[in-house]
Amino acid sequence: MRVVHVQDNGPLLESLYTDVLAPSFPPDELETAEWLRSGVADGTVLATAAVDSDGAAIGAAIGHWLPGARTLLLTYLAVPPGSRGGGIGGLLFSEVTGTWQKRLRPRATFAEIEHPLAHSASADYGDPSARLRFYARHGARALDIPYFQPSLRPGSGRVYGLLLAVFSLAPECAGARAGTVTPDLVRSFLEGGYYQETALGLDPASLALRRALDRPEGIPLLPLTEPERLPVSRPA
């Protein structure tokens, strides 16, 4: 097993989408194949593959780089059903926290994680509780905001019950209080290209997220080891 940084729209990138990403995420959480191809082409999407001895894709780490905000979203860290639990995810994550950081030097690196109190385990999409433990072991913490994923394309819905986790943070992005993140950083990430301001309306979930961002002293970072204390966004 080895890792490959995919930099062109060839067969390996197509395999990452069809064989790794598509079986691993519900449709509303999955970006399109065209998003992946165009992002790799223009440098706003990072794609790292884990491949077996035959060169077949057995895992993927996909990142979305927002140069205006200088923030990075680990959009997907995926190992397809049948290959999980063998260390592939850890190998890919070490590339995210190593090679990706050295290349881009982001102010912060985020990841969206399903809240185990809002999402059930399944054979196809994995176990949210196990995923939370994985990120906790690697030092991630969750922002104290009732986060939800915006609609990714026309016809898809929001995804509620997600956590926005942080696993790298530049010192200057710490909040005024210990253990917090400056709200300006989070706003720049949400409004800087990934999560347009227009996605936040006047519905209860949007208003709750706006209120959580309105903390000048900083947005607290919470440990992932106590899921019952982590915020949960829900539709009205």
Side-chain angles (χ1 to χ4, degrees), residues 75-128:
T75 313
Y76 303 113
L77 183 69
V79 178
S83 298
R84 295 169 183 152
I88 300 171
L91 177 67
L92 288 166
F93 195 79
S94 68
E95 290 295 310
V96 174
T97 56
T99 304
W100 288 16
Q101 301 298 309
K102 292 176 183 177
R103 174 180 170 185
L104 297 172
R105 302 206 177 276
R107 295 195 298 159
T109 305
F110 299 99
E112 295 168 324
I113 309 172
E114 290 181 341
H115 199 307
L117 300 184
H119 296 268
S120 301
S122 74
D124 289 336
Y125 304 137
D127 182 354

Side-chain angles (χ1 to χ4, degrees), residues 61-79:
I62 307 296
H64 187 185
W65 171 239
L66 298 172
R70 293 204 61 78
T71 55
L72 177 64
L73 175 67
L74 175 57
T75 313
Y76 303 113
L77 183 69
V79 178

Side-chain angles (χ1 to χ4, degrees), residues 17-31:
Y17 191 85
T18 58
D19 300 330
V20 179
L21 298 181
S24 301
F25 294 94
D28 280 348
E29 294 184 28
L30 187 63
E31 294 275 11

Side-chain angles (χ1 to χ4, degrees), residues 153-197:
R153 59 190 171 276
S156 69
R158 289 176 174 176
V159 181
Y160 293 95
L162 294 186
L163 301 166
L164 186 61
V166 179
F167 57 84
S168 80
L169 185 68
E172 66 270 18
C173 294
R177 291 187 179 178
T180 68
V181 173
T182 174
D184 289 343
L185 171 74
V186 184
R187 286 195 190 96
S188 70
F189 165 71
L190 295 179
E191 300 169 6
Y194 171 67
Y195 198 138
Q196 297 294 336
E197 177 67 15

